[in-house]
Amino acid sequence: MKIGIIQDSLQTNSLNLEIIKYLSKKKNLTLYLLLNEHKNFSQNNFKKVAKKGIIRSFEIFFFNILNKIEWKLLSYFNKNISNYKKKYILDKSIFKNCIKLEPIIKNNNIYRYNNYDIKKIKSLKLDLILRGQGGGIYKGDILNSSKDGIISFHHGDNRWNRGGPPGFWEVYLKKAASGFIIQKLNNELDNGLVLFRGELKTQNSHVLNLVNLYISSIPYMKIIIDNYLTKKELKEINYKTNINAKILKSPNFFQSITYIKRIIIYLFTILIKRKILKRSPRWSIAIKKTFGSKLIFENSMIINNQPNRFFADPFIIKKDEKTIIFAEDYDYIKRRGVISAIDIDLENKKTKFIFEDILKENFHHSFPFIFENDNDLYMIPETYDKKSIRLYKCVQFPKKWVFVHDMISNIKAVDTIIFNNKKIWWILTNVNLSDSEKCPPALFAFSSSDLFSQKWKPHKNNPIVFNVDNGRNGGLVKIRDEVFRVRQSHGFNLYGKSISLAKIKMINEKHYHEEEYAKYDFKEYSKIIGVHHLSNHKNLFTFDICKEEFIK
């Protein structure tokens, strides 16, 4: 197959380079470089100023200056930002041919091409064109100059955000989610055929949000192209979006100043809380015997945290006449979690004993998912730092566990749950395919008829869910024979806004369908700022809550 990469220059960033290098290693794939030469670039800039007016042009200039300052400051503290800003020169040797083009750049940065350039492109008989690094809006015959058109990122949710700047308006409008799409371009700006859609939790600054969007979206472009090379077609998930979605542009003076003020206030507030008042978000866990459409905090038994630590991600089980909660036991000083077991006296609502560090290794542990099989007890804790999904077996309840094996290796996964459906074991887990430090709310499914297999089959539609409201796992609830996935929902600058229960209605090799059953939050409790977990054992339910507390 033949794929063209259309660029504004040979210079590119690390992320675009990653995709091009990835494609260059594909067998039976030939790459061509379509290089735009901007002979009238300065003239167009002059016309833009004349058209937009001096005030609007200066507003854009002012925002760009602020943006550069933010990039510079954050580059000192975040390696992803500093790496992204590095510039590279494309190696022409990886392309079979380099075709130089002269785009006709019109108002609003619209790129069109003359018949001569279109004929040059068509003569290559390209199967597909990938938009590389460049700022043009492609319209006209260029869109049909290859067999299957041009595919491109849009780093924004085009159901409400067409245009740009990418990653800014989500922060400014305090949106919980920042979306991205991979689309097949047409003549409507950011309203092409959607091939893939994903969402990430919005970060608290424009640059952080932008880089997180860029880094996290790269693997999905690779997946789209891999599928195209295999199936030789592009499969859209949505033919039309809301064509009336607003086309956003660079902020005006007031919006830029408002953004700066918010960032300063946020940083100042965090400084006061963390460094002076010594207050930080702190999780704790609770247990109840009741369950309904509303998770009531009253009459819950609260498990007291140990000094400079907190409990979170609780899973409960009754075994050998004991009621045990397994939980993440996080140490603020060591900045690492281990798994501890808490023996509960339900009648007197008190803790009998804490079996500390029942699972402690030289990496972080959390989310100790507990399940039984053939009268044996197993655990799948989060072992993200180890880049594997690991299985442990209990050999002395509840305090002694042994490592069995890696169920899935070379995977960065969090919040893994497992259940059996029609004699097939299903793993549902949140996977980070990128180099981003943040794990996205992308839910992946894997199946096997053998619990102890080390070759789990990925679902053909992975990720089966990819959005901020219900992508991230928050536990598992079983009521009689029905299985409910617990889903975390996050707000802007708020980790754990609410949780919801979704009944798993269908899961097989081709389909996954869940239906929301209930949603829980603690809005009526002013001191509780978050909840992100729920699980049960028969009629016993355990969950976690977050408060701002004094930490020494």
Side-chain angles (χ1 to χ4, degrees), residues 24 86 223 276:
S24 70
K86 292 179 181 177
I223 290 173
I276 299 177

Side-chain angles (χ1 to χ4, degrees), residues 37-291:
E37 290 191 320
H38 299 279
K39 293 186 177 181
N40 58 347
F41 184 73
S42 59
Q43 182 183 2
N44 276 319
N45 277 342
F46 178 78
K47 288 182 178 180
K48 286 178 185 178
V49 172
K51 179 176 173 54
K52 295 178 184 297
I54 295 175
I55 293 178
R56 180 56 183 155
S57 297
F58 191 72
E59 285 179 332
I60 296 172
F61 173 77
F62 180 66
F63 173 73
N64 289 337
I65 291 297
L66 294 178
N67 198 32
K68 287 181 180 180
I69 293 172
E70 186 177 336
W71 276 102
K72 192 73 173 177
L73 291 174
L74 291 176
S75 294
Y76 290 111
F77 305 102
N78 189 305
K79 67 176 183 178
N80 282 332
I81 293 175
S82 58
N83 288 341
Y84 175 81
K85 290 298 288 183
K86 292 179 181 177
K87 299 298 180 183
Y88 300 86
I89 301 299
L90 289 177
D91 181 2
K92 285 187 178 182
S93 66
I94 65 176
F95 301 97
K96 183 173 182 179
N97 199 354
C98 175
I99 306 297
K100 294 182 179 180
L101 307 173
E102 296 183 16
I104 303 167
I105 305 175
K106 295 190 175 182
N107 294 335
N108 300 318
N109 211 28
I110 292 173
Y111 282 34
R112 293 183 184 272
Y113 295 82
N114 59 39
N115 291 333
Y116 178 70
D117 280 348
I118 296 298
K119 285 180 181 179
K120 283 198 294 184
I121 299 172
K122 287 185 175 181
S123 69
L124 300 175
K125 296 183 179 180
L126 299 175
D127 294 286
L128 186 68
I129 295 175
L130 170 64
R131 176 181 173 176
Q133 192 162 350
I137 300 169
Y138 297 108
K139 289 193 175 185
D141 293 337
I142 184 71
L143 300 174
N144 301 308
S145 59
S146 71
K147 182 171 73 74
D148 289 309
I150 303 176
I151 62 172
S152 170
F153 281 116
H154 169 59
H155 291 98
D157 185 342
N158 69 333
R159 291 170 294 191
W160 68 270
N161 175 6
R162 296 162 63 202
F168 174 79
W169 290 109
E170 294 87 347
V171 179
Y172 183 83
L173 297 173
K174 298 183 179 180
K175 296 277 189 178
S178 292
F180 70 90
I181 62 169
I182 298 171
Q183 60 179 333
K184 178 181 176 181
L185 297 180
N186 60 20
N187 281 304
E188 299 167 0
L189 177 63
D190 298 330
N191 201 40
L193 302 182
V194 178
L195 309 174
F196 187 87
R197 186 184 299 280
E199 278 187 359
L200 306 170
K201 185 178 181 299
T202 300
Q203 304 302 299
N204 51 32
S205 90
H206 172 214
V207 170
L208 289 175
N209 201 42
L210 176 64
V211 173
N212 191 45
L213 275 169
Y214 282 170
I215 294 176
S216 299
S217 61
I218 289 294
Y220 298 99
M221 180 61 84
K222 295 178 182 177
I223 290 173
I224 290 294
I225 296 176
D226 282 345
N227 289 338
Y228 177 75
L229 295 176
T230 301
K231 300 175 182 178
K232 297 179 173 56
E233 64 176 355
L234 296 172
K235 183 180 179 181
E236 59 265 26
I237 61 170
N238 184 17
Y239 179 73
K240 278 287 183 182
T241 55
N242 180 14
I243 194 171
N244 295 317
K246 192 172 183 180
I247 296 178
L248 301 175
K249 299 180 181 180
S250 294
N252 58 34
F253 282 129
F254 174 78
Q255 291 164 334
S256 293
I257 295 299
T258 300
Y259 169 74
I260 297 169
K261 286 168 59 178
R262 286 180 184 171
I263 292 294
I264 292 172
I265 291 171
Y266 171 76
L267 293 175
F268 183 74
T269 302
I270 293 296
L271 178 65
I272 295 295
K273 281 185 177 181
R274 305 290 190 266
K275 301 299 182 182
I276 299 177
L277 299 179
K278 303 292 185 182
R279 295 182 67 83
S280 293
R282 192 181 193 190
W283 294 91
S284 58
I285 60 178
I287 183 173
K288 280 182 70 73
K289 288 186 177 181
T290 58
F291 177 82

Side-chain angles (χ1 to χ4, degrees), residues 419-426 481 483 504-508:
F419 59 92
N420 192 286
N421 181 67
K422 297 178 181 179
K423 298 183 180 180
I424 299 294
W425 287 96
W426 288 95
D481 294 327
V483 178
I504 298 176
K505 303 282 286 186
M506 177 189 294
I507 185 167
N508 55 43

